[in-house]
Amino acid sequence: MGGQLFYAGFASFPDVPRPNSQELNPGYVVTHALLQCATVDEVIDLLTKKATCVNQALAGSTATVHWVFSDRSGETIIIEPDNQQMTIYRHTAGVMTNSPDYRWHKQNLLSYLNVKNDEFPDRNMDGIEVQKPFKGTGALGLPGDFTSQSRFIRASFLKYYGIKGQNEEEGIQYLFHLLDNVAMPLGIVKVSDHGNQQDYDETIYSAAMCAESLKFYWKSYKNSTVQCVDLNHELNNPEVKSFPLNNEAPDFKNVN
């Protein structure tokens, strides 16, 4: 399984490939790796020895991206193109956002070691009894904005403390609840002033994959119905096949 995210301001690629290596456009890394590799070890070998990601335009500009891959072993690796070479992070926590680099995000976790899922106790301060009328005090200080560094912290917190599902269907359902906490609601992140929906960043869709069942799940921004493609039915399909995102009107179930 693999994915890529924007790595603006940090991605750096050489102009020419290494000797005896295949030239590879950064925008096609995930597709190429999934076609060639079955494990994260093979992905690392591909991107550090057999192929070179070069400074090559895609749709008018070089894809400033970094990548995450996982396999059936459960290991998740993060690969970042820094200083015209690949930086490999192995045995990661399985969380990646955008710039800065993974090393910076990992160090930034030190600023939130106090955040937890336990409640703070009531306190007596020189005879003044302070009692909490609300829940969630352990997560005080957890950043709620939509910068990449804050989303990394929230995703790490949610993944660490989140209850795991008892089966795949339950796990997928729980995972989408966690992803909703780092999704960008329409209207919150403004990028221009043209007066239309494109003036805002939004999470167009959220997706989840299972390396064991070979199922790919997603839900779109406008339709929260979880959809699924079972890739077992496509293993012998020689044709390129696409499936609609279904980012249209929501499916409501009337109960009366």
Side-chain angles (χ1 to χ4, degrees), residues 16-24 32 37 40-54 79 84-88 90:
V16 296
R18 295 185 306 274
N20 302 315
S21 69
Q22 180 182 6
E23 183 178 292
L24 182 59
H32 186 69
C37 306
V40 293
D41 288 322
E42 291 181 6
V43 173
I44 292 172
D45 183 67
L46 172 70
L47 295 181
T48 59
K49 298 178 181 178
K50 297 179 180 179
T52 302
C53 289
V54 296
I79 303 177
Q84 301 189 11
Q85 62 183 2
M86 295 297 178
T87 302
I88 311 293
R90 301 207 62 165

Side-chain angles (χ1 to χ4, degrees), residues 53 114 117-118 181 196 229 234 256:
C53 289
N114 62 302
N117 63 346
D118 293 331
N181 279 269
N196 54 47
V229 169
E234 308 298 334
N256 66 353

Side-chain angles (χ1 to χ4, degrees), residues 39-40 67 76 99 107 162 232:
T39 67
V40 293
W67 307 277
T76 299
S99 309
Q107 291 177 333
N232 290 288

Side-chain angles (χ1 to χ4, degrees), residues 1-2 38-44 68-78 88-94 159 211:
M1 305 179 293
T39 67
V40 293
D41 288 322
E42 291 181 6
V43 173
I44 292 172
V68 58
F69 290 95
S70 183
D71 62 20
R72 286 184 170 179
S73 72
E75 182 185 1
T76 299
I77 63 171
I78 291 173
I88 311 293
Y89 298 97
R90 301 207 62 165
H91 306 290
T92 70
K159 184 183 180 192

Side-chain angles (χ1 to χ4, degrees), residues 72 80 82 85 152 170 211 241:
R72 286 184 170 179
E80 295 183 328
D82 302 310
Q85 62 183 2
F152 186 95
E170 190 174 75
K241 194 170 184 179

